[in-house]
Amino acid sequence: MAARRNQAPARVVSDEELTRAVREVVKNAPGLTVNEFKKELGKDYRPHAARAVEIAIALAARGELHRWSNARKVRFFPDDPYAALSVAVHEALASGPLDEAELQRRVVARNRGYGDLLKPWLKAELTRGELHVAPPLEGKKKKRISTEPDLRLLLKKVLVELQKVVTKPPGNLVDKARLLEALAAAIPERGERRRSSANG
């Protein structure tokens, strides 16, 4: 068995140089886990991978990078990942509602690491009313995520009451155009609704 060649000692790398390398890796490949981050470091920096991770954590503590973590993994991002995630989700939903699995597939295809962030972020956005649940497609079971509220769901009670009005006199004698005008007049403009809500 041939003797292994002596490996050249690792090049000495200053903290300043390693910090630049850390920033570059996270900028070029946001969302890396610690193991992925170590693999992305250049050949000269891999022997200093543990130190590079410490630098990344320190930069995140100072707000110069963003560190996301859960019980199983840590990811590094150059900027607030939730701001970028919001943009990615709205771009994916621009052509219409998607079920959560398809939304995740599209977001993760273009944005590494966002799959871990998506589910809790979606839950919060739905709770705040920033995103909305849309009914499943015909013949499907999965509810979908939408940027617009589903008007049938939103107006369900109103439509039931309206149906009662238009099927009995005198409501069934009223011209549809006049009925729609009356409904439109009863709905305040968006700015008026916000002021009314703030005052109430």
Side-chain angles (χ1 to χ4, degrees), residues 2 5-6 42 44 46 50 60 64 68 71 75 82 88 108 138 157 163 170 192:
R5 293 180 182 175
N6 291 331
D44 283 349
R46 284 188 196 127
E64 297 176 40
W68 174 90
R75 291 186 182 278
Y82 290 103
V108 171
E138 190 173 346
K157 291 181 180 178
Q163 193 65 27
E192 292 173 11

Side-chain angles (χ1 to χ4, degrees), residues 42-108:
K43 185 172 64 174
D44 283 349
Y45 305 119
R46 284 188 196 127
H48 309 282
R51 199 166 119 230
V53 171
E54 290 175 3
I55 288 172
I57 291 170
L59 289 171
R62 296 202 299 268
E64 297 176 40
L65 289 180
H66 286 260
R67 176 177 177 257
W68 174 90
S69 64
N70 63 13
R72 294 180 293 111
K73 64 183 81 166
V74 173
R75 291 186 182 278
F76 295 104
F77 296 88
D79 302 301
D80 177 7
Y82 290 103
L85 178 59
S86 178
V87 171
V89 167
H90 281 83
E91 285 178 353
L93 295 174
S95 57
L98 298 170
D99 66 59
E100 192 172 327
E102 177 61 18
L103 176 60
Q104 176 153 334
R105 189 190 69 74
R106 293 193 190 188
V107 168
V108 171

